[in-house]
Amino acid sequence: MSRATITTKVQGKRQRFTLQEGELTTIGRASSCAVQINDKSVSREHCVAIFTNGRLCLNDLGSKHGVVHDGERVDRCDLAPGDSCQLGAAHLTFEAVLDAGSEPPPEPEPEAPPAPEPEPEPKPRTPEPAVVFADDDLPAEPGQVIGGYRVDEVLGTGGFGVVYRAQQIQLGREVALKVLRLDDRAGDGAARVEAFLREARAAASINDPHLVQIHDVGQDGELHFLSMELVSGGSLTRKVRRDGPLDWRAGLELMRDLAGALAAAHRAGLVHRDVKPANVLLTASGRAKLTDLGLASGTLQAGTVAFMAPEQILRRDVDARTDLYALGCTIYAALTGRAPFIGSKDEIAKGHLKDTPESLQRLGLPVPWHFDQLVVESLMAKDPDDRPQSATQLLERLDDLILPDSYPRVDRAPRPATVARARSTGEPGRAGGRNRNKALLARVLSELVVFSISAFIVIALLLGLKYHFPSLDIYRLIGK
């Protein structure tokens, strides 16, 4: 695996660092950064870098002084060996690419760096407490055998069923066993059984590494069950509750895994309808798998209101873009520890219909500006036309978000003629371009307002001076 060397120079002091190919590396003043630059002009977490395919890509993390490349402040820059950029007062140069086994050039003479100023510890973000289900009416008990599976313990509960850790006795295999929960008082037993079987058929029809695989489906007396692969890391809900919110790099990987799962489901003609942290399971290595396709391909408009798209709340037609809205809500919850809107069900529904969640950067999270825009303004756009139009298109945007232009891209599906034409003429695409143009216009207008107010104050002060001191030569004063 190749490596790259970079040097930083600030106030005459040089440091050299080696970057591994494909690894995201944070650059900043904080001691937790892999590339630490001890200078006040550099933010605690200034930018993130990734070296791949012989190129180095830097992405700003909302730093105070930004990343300056070719004399212009940019959100990201793509460097070749020998290129450089400015991080505050620090000069960063991409020196060379090292082949596997080769040694970097000798380090410059080390100089004692100034002792870093003590930084206040950031306040931990406490996640919202998860809902705890008090349920004394479970369909099965530990030790019970159902259709050749011995139940061990409860892993989770939901509206339709309870998931247990279980042993498949004949094969000696550990599985997750989902047992349907029926409520005689509701009078919807037949509909629940049909939805339960539909989940099994839908999930079993798709073979994708980002979807939980179904092993078996059956009935034992009055109990309906399905067995599926046991994902050892537990749910995303449990991880955030236990370890706190994810950082944005883990959120980016999570989004990519889930976008891949949705792309596979959508290719099969299925809309999930209930993407949420509780339906995201994590492997031991931290990769994500999507589960619970029980509402897919059905006519039910059910879901979880905290992660529900506006068109789903209004009981209008849903499609792949509905799942992408819920994916945006899920990533937001993973990064902040809470759903985008909280309160009563009515308050949450109103938020989805009319309000915009607070941006991740405004909440104090060190995320790249364009990643914030993708989650909050694009995926969670009220109008489905303003979101990415497919999970595959989202994967393309994730490629463009952080990686250098030379990085191998995901296999891209044929684009509609309108999108292809927009890209060939240099015009923004329908969904992503509209949001980028809105964001750019908002920034220009805000800067124009600040400039106008400043100019007005200066002119008013000068006129006031002239009024009180008629003999004062304002032009001479300005010239000085």
Side-chain angles (χ1 to χ4, degrees), residues 313-324:
I313 292 173
L314 296 172
R315 297 189 177 275
R316 296 174 180 167
D317 291 340
V318 300
D319 57 25
R321 298 170 298 179
T322 305
D323 284 343
L324 296 184

Side-chain angles (χ1 to χ4, degrees), residues 75-93:
D75 287 324
R76 59 167 278 167
C77 63
D78 193 354
L79 306 179
D83 291 345
S84 60
C85 65
Q86 202 77 15
L87 312 178
H91 189 79
L92 182 146
T93 301

Side-chain angles (χ1 to χ4, degrees), residues 138-141 144-147 179-182 196 218-225:
L138 298 176
E141 298 294 336
Q144 184 176 344
V145 176
I146 303 173
V179 181
L180 178 62
R181 178 165 52 185
L182 297 176
F196 188 76
Q219 181 177 358
D220 187 343
E222 296 182 353
L223 296 178
H224 295 266
F225 67 88

